[in-house]
DNA sequence: CTGAAAGCGCTTACAG
DNA sequence: CTGAAAGCGCTTACAG
């Protein structure tokens, strides 16, 4: 690979001038610019991104830090990433998919991240990724509330999870449901905590007592049960224990599908016997299932776009006003999976 | 941020020794190691990844180059990326989502990529990304065949697209279909060309003449029609032109859904009136639609895993034998969307 | 508008 | 097992 010295020599100018022609940080005469460009073309020269980063302290990449391990992108993440990549590219930034430990200890050999900022997906309680980012002085935005003792607050883009659970419960209870089973996300995720609290509140508001086995948490991604989360729980609670359940709230579409399988295996029907509500689903898919699923439109793509924009503000790459805590609105999209009792 | 000199000074050793404690490239005495680690902890020191990369010429990141513009990840890409990220992390590599122009001209300010290698998704004819990678001497693997005049061949992971189209046509023709409309991927993609050729061959094999309007290509992502590809074509050909069509092969699930909408709007049913076959779909979703879709299992996650592994071989990060052209097998998964005439 | 020189924060032969 | 010094390929004040 040709380097800047080669071009400078061939064009008969100094390295600084070559640098300048590419970065355009100070004016250059037309003749010199052309000589440099010509020499670069001949030598197939392209500036070395790493060397540039070392001095400018900018990598022009943002990290999307996802929990380490057998993490699986869902349809929700898919749309989220679409939003992130598109918006980041508008600012000239690339996106680094970064698997950082959420709970594990950092290894001493872990080098500082070659990123200018980060978006933390699905924060957990005492999220180690957030401590790491904080310690390393890397600006970051979280998608979801944080509960870290070392880091008090951070710019956050989030849905109004409490409101969402209230809306869902009001919706179901309004249809006459009092026996609602909630298949929540992983217990360590802050979103689960926000949801759980609101779930309790909503039930209490309607004077419904929460019975045992009506709240479950998605197992760790390392667990064997991860991919089938919802199946066992539904079978056991409804089928074996004979617990009275008329509605199920499922964290995401995968969970909803698992629950659907269980319901079918038990010999019950949706929505005649059991109503099903999905929180994080892909709208285009939800309309296609049998029956079409009723669920929440969380606007995952918009979450992605706004989290990038917030981060860009933090990096000084985006002008204008902004606020540190953005809430993305969400609405119920009705299918045919919830019926009135 | 503390740097290596600070640690060296505090620990009373040379920079080289500090470097060595972190890289472990040569043995270090226990006492020195401990002194360095202690000093690092006190100063909150982490090696600078960029500076390290500049001298080692390794970034420990691979690029996933996706076409520039309004690109949308589909369920297929989603699973593909899952495979890529998981396998890359096994080798200590991160994944950079890179939007490079597929057809556009490179800007002179484009710096060399801070990646050690790249995976090129959905290559097109004369793919500019491939020329760029080639010119910059960056090892790459393509997912799909390449047709570039400047680059003769490249390590490739692919499905057997010709075989797939033959299988699909045999399957449909075996069910009595002779009027098959094919909603192919974008015309510039090499996969489309492979499929088209095989589609023609398969029809010819069964002495079926290809009629006009029976082959369509997905518009560019920049087109307004991108998201609804399949709807207009189906409505026009079957509804308005009254062309006899008994089966449709759809590129991916989004296309299949659009076709389903059109079929419904025309007043026809699946599979009674029209059979529908989807090539790139998400299996867990395909089982859930109404009716369940019949389609191909392309093993997108396995495509991702194998493309990373092939690239790792190219980078010398993976030992053992390997071949430059890997074919991932695919099988027909039956739903209820194709019927016998 | 252009050049010479220092420096970004590491790693790596080369000695010892 | 450890150190001193050169060098990775750029950018950036500082002069002119």
């Amino acid at each position: 690979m040709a380097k800047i010295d080669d071009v400078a020599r061939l064009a008969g100018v100094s390295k600084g001038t070559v640098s300048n022609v590419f970065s355009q940080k100070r004016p250059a005469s037309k003749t010199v610019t052309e000589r440099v460009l010509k020499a670069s073309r001949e030598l197939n020269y392209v500036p070395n991104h790493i060397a540039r980063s070392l001095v400018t302290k900018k990598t022009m990449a943002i990290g999307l830090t996802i929990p380490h391990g057998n993490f699986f992108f869902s349809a929700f993440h898919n749309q989220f990433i679409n939003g992130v990549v598109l918006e980041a590219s508008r600012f000239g930034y690339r996106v680094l998919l970064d698997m950082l430990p959420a709970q594990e200890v950092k290894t001493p050999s872990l080098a500082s991240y070659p990123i200018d900022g980060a978006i933390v997906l699905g924060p957990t309680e005492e999220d180690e990724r957030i401590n790491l980012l904080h310690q390393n002085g890397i600006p970051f935005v979280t998608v979801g509330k944080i509960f870290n003792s070392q880091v008090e607050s951070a710019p956050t883009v989030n849905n109004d999870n409490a409101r969402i659970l209230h809306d869902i419960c009001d919706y179901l209870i309004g249809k006459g449901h009092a026996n609602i089973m909630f298949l929540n996300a992983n217990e360590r995720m802050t979103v689960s905590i926000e949801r759980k609290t609101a779930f309790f509140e909503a039930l209490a508001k309607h004077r419904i007592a929460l019975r045992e086995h009506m709240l479950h948490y998605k197992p760790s991604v390392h667990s064997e049960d991860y991919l089938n989360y919802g199946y066992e729980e539904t079978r056991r609670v409804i089928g074996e224990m004979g617990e009275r359940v008329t509605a199920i709230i499922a964290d995401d579409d995968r969970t909803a599908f698992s629950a659907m399988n269980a319901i079918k295996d038990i010999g019950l029907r949706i929505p005649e016997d059991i109503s099903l509500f999905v929180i994080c689903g892909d709208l285009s898919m939800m309309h296609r299932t049998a029956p079409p699923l009723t669920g929440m439109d969380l606007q995952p793509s918009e979450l992605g776009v706004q989290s990038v924009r917030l981060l860009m503000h933090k990096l000084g790459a985006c002008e204008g006003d902004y606020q540190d805590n953005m809430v993305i609105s969400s609405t119920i999209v009705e299918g045919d999976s919830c019926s009135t009792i």
Side-chain angles (χ1 to χ4, degrees), chain A residues 244-262:
Chain A
R244 185 167 157 68
V245 172
T246 65
I248 296 177
I249 303 170
D251 170 45
D252 62 7
D253 31 25
R254 199 198 306 273
T255 308
F257 291 160
S258 295
M260 285 167 88
N261 279 337

Side-chain angles (χ1 to χ4, degrees), chain A residues 57-305:
Chain A
K57 314 271 185 216
K58 284 201 164 301
T59 63
M60 297 311 278
I62 59 176
L64 190 61
T65 74
I66 55 190
H68 189 272
N70 283 317
F71 178 76
F72 287 100
F73 289 115
S74 71
F76 176 86
H77 297 116
N78 196 18
Q79 294 184 257
F80 177 82
I81 294 177
N82 269 324
V84 167
V85 171
L86 237 44
E87 189 68 8
S89 78
R90 288 194 45 225
F91 289 94
Y93 277 79
R94 289 161 161 138
V95 176
L96 186 69
L97 259 28
D98 214 352
M99 277 205 172
L100 291 182
Q103 255 83 249
E104 297 160 37
V105 190
K106 93 178 185 194
T107 75
S109 67
L110 182 69
S112 72
Y113 327 131
I115 52 175
D116 296 335
I119 294 173
V120 178
L121 211 49
T124 63
E125 277 187 289
E126 300 298 340
D127 198 312
E128 198 54 40
R129 298 173 293 170
I130 290 172
N131 292 337
L132 240 42
L133 256 4
H134 179 70
Q135 282 164 27
N136 285 287
I138 295 177
F140 63 93
V141 166
T142 64
V143 181
K145 213 169 205 162
I146 68 167
F147 297 139
N148 272 50
S149 46
Q150 291 183 38
V151 183
E152 267 192 29
S153 70
T156 295
V157 176
N158 203 359
N159 288 298
D160 187 343
N161 295 307
R163 169 76 180 279
I164 285 170
L165 255 290
H166 274 285
D167 284 353
I168 296 173
C169 288
D170 289 351
Y171 175 81
L172 291 172
I173 294 169
K175 285 182 173 294
H177 296 277
N179 302 289
I180 305 172
M181 182 164 84
F182 181 17
L183 300 171
N184 203 349
N186 186 276
E187 189 164 12
R188 291 198 58 91
M189 292 178 67
T190 61
V191 61
S192 289
I193 301 167
E194 292 188 283
R195 286 177 181 170
K196 176 202 67 183
T197 307
F199 180 57
F200 287 174
E201 284 173 7
L203 292 185
K205 188 172 67 184
H206 293 279
R207 305 193 174 287
I208 298 173
L210 176 79
R211 301 201 311 281
E212 231 185 323
H213 310 299
M214 295 302 257
L215 173 60
H216 299 271
Y217 292 101
K218 188 183 286 188
S220 145
V221 285
H222 301 99
S223 155
E224 284 182 4
D225 303 327
Y226 179 74
L227 289 177
N228 288 313
Y229 170 57
Y231 184 87
E232 261 325 310
E233 289 78 1
T234 304
R235 269 209 90 133
R236 190 157 39 78
V237 173
I238 303 180
E240 293 167 23
M241 299 171 52
E243 187 81 46
R244 185 167 157 68
V245 172
T246 65
I248 296 177
I249 303 170
D251 170 45
D252 62 7
D253 31 25
R254 199 198 306 273
T255 308
F257 291 160
S258 295
M260 285 167 88
N261 279 337
I263 290 166
K264 187 178 152 207
D265 286 356
I266 296 168
L268 299 176
R269 295 154 306 166
I270 300 171
E272 292 84 347
D273 303 308
I274 305 229
S275 291
L276 183 58
F277 193 106
V278 48
I279 306 182
C280 303
D282 182 322
L283 281 190
S284 65
M285 295 294 179
M286 281 161 56
H287 292 147
R288 288 291 158 199
T289 56
L293 289 170
T294 294
M296 217 77 195
D297 178 7
L298 262 30
Q299 299 199 79
S301 176
E302 184 65 12
L303 277 166
V305 168

